[in-house]
Amino acid sequence: MQGERDERGIEIDQVGISGLRYPVTFDDGDLRRQGIAEVRVTARLQHDRRGTHMSRMVALVHEYLQDFDPRSVGTLLKAGANALDTPGLSVHLSTSVADEVVAPASGIPSWVVHDVLFGMHWDAGLVRLDTSVTCEVTSLCPCSKHISDYGAHNQRSEVSLCVTGEGDSAYPARVRELAGLAAACGSAPVVPLVKRPDERVLTMQAYDNPVFVEDMAREVSAACRSRDLTHRVTVKNLESIHSHDAVAVVTG
């Protein structure tokens, strides 16, 4: 039984459950969305404990994550650490949120989706939250524009911004703000529903704002630094004329 004593004297860094899909209502006071999240819960297991209580992890998800407010992450982690009698606990929640965008010329609305990952950590009473948001933008290559008689290659890019907070400031910036910082770094936005007048506007906007993958990573990092946000930016160009992608990572 998991409550038995173990004599091998080896602590386990993480043990628990993963791949649990559960209905979650996300609400951070600015953005409220319902959906299905994927959850991972792991605990540090002391050297003299044979096993952890995985059913209590599901119970924790049921009680605290069906209505999830990242501003209350400390309450969730403290309850989980007490229920599992563990000095270390991690909860990862992966979901998607949608935000409405409007096409630049026609004014037609549509929904853009951002992937969001919350990494919640409890270490002997210390609370840390990693909030990651991934957005899509259009990027146009400055080199291609410079060397071509006309036109330039462009591609869709994935911009991931992870912001870390601790204690009472574990959620220093809301998801919508982080998505805005990430989406602003490209040559042009990605808009799901566009008509021909919109394509003209977006194409010319990208042509007028060429950026390297390095430029995008630096722009997002600069915006985070101006807000005193501890961050990690990862940008990937899904290249359109190369057989490889281009990537850049900045931390600050």
Side-chain angles (χ1 to χ4, degrees):
M1 300 295 291
Q2 67 264 32
E4 293 176 347
R5 182 177 178 84
D6 195 279
E7 302 296 339
R8 285 165 285 192
I10 300 174
E11 181 177 86
I12 295 181
D13 296 328
Q14 296 184 42
V15 58
I17 61 174
S18 65
L20 175 65
R21 301 179 70 195
Y22 228 75
V24 169
T25 298
F26 169 79
D27 188 350
D28 67 353
D30 173 60
L31 185 66
R32 180 180 173 87
R33 294 288 184 267
Q34 294 178 315
I36 303 297
E38 184 167 315
V39 184
R40 180 175 186 260
V41 183
T42 58
R44 190 187 313 158
L45 187 62
Q46 297 90 325
H47 69 88
D48 58 348
R49 308 279 181 88
R50 183 175 181 185
T52 189
H53 298 274
M54 297 188 184
S55 63
R56 296 181 187 178
M57 296 178 176
V58 179
L60 180 72
V61 172
H62 184 82
E63 182 173 356
Y64 287 94
L65 288 184
Q66 289 193 81
D67 293 294
F68 175 58
D69 185 340
R71 296 170 296 179
S72 302
V73 65
T75 301
L76 157 69
L77 292 172
K78 183 177 180 179
N82 288 337
L84 294 163
D85 188 22
T86 178
L89 178 71
S90 293
V91 180
H92 291 83
L93 185 151
S94 175
T95 187
S96 299
V97 298
D99 216 358
E100 191 175 53
V101 294
V102 177
S106 66
I108 298 175
S110 57
W111 291 94
V112 64
V113 176
H114 309 305
D115 292 326
V116 183
L117 173 64
F118 295 98
M120 299 163 265
H121 307 280
W122 172 277
D123 186 3
L126 300 177
V127 173
R128 189 182 92 242
L129 172 62
D130 301 321
T131 303
S132 300
V133 180
T134 299
C135 303
E136 294 182 330
V137 299
T138 297
S139 60
L140 185 135
C141 177
C143 287
S144 177
K145 177 179 178 178
H146 180 74
I147 65 176
S148 301
D149 293 334
Y150 49 84
H153 84 79
N154 60 74
Q155 54 273 319
R156 193 155 40 93
S157 303
E158 295 178 350
V159 183
S160 296
L161 171 58
C162 178
V163 168
T164 298
E166 297 180 342
D168 295 335
S169 301
Y171 190 57
R174 294 173 175 174
V175 162
R176 184 174 279 167
E177 180 184 0
L178 298 181
L181 295 179
C185 72
S187 301
V190 168
V191 181
L193 179 54
V194 295
K195 297 297 185 180
R196 287 183 179 177
D198 303 308
E199 290 188 44
R200 173 181 168 83
V201 172
L202 293 170
T203 299
M204 292 192 297
Q205 180 181 345
Y207 191 79
D208 289 337
N209 297 280
V211 288
F212 291 119
V213 68
E214 297 94 330
D215 296 320
M216 291 188 284
R218 285 175 169 143
E219 281 297 312
V220 179
S221 181
C224 290
R225 290 166 197 257
S226 70
R227 293 164 171 79
D228 292 324
L229 296 174
T230 301
H231 63 280
R232 177 183 177 89
V233 185
T234 304
V235 182
K236 179 169 70 173
N237 282 355
L238 307 173
E239 291 288 332
S240 58
I241 66 170
H242 303 297
S243 61
H244 59 266
D245 294 332
V247 296
V249 179
V250 176
T251 59

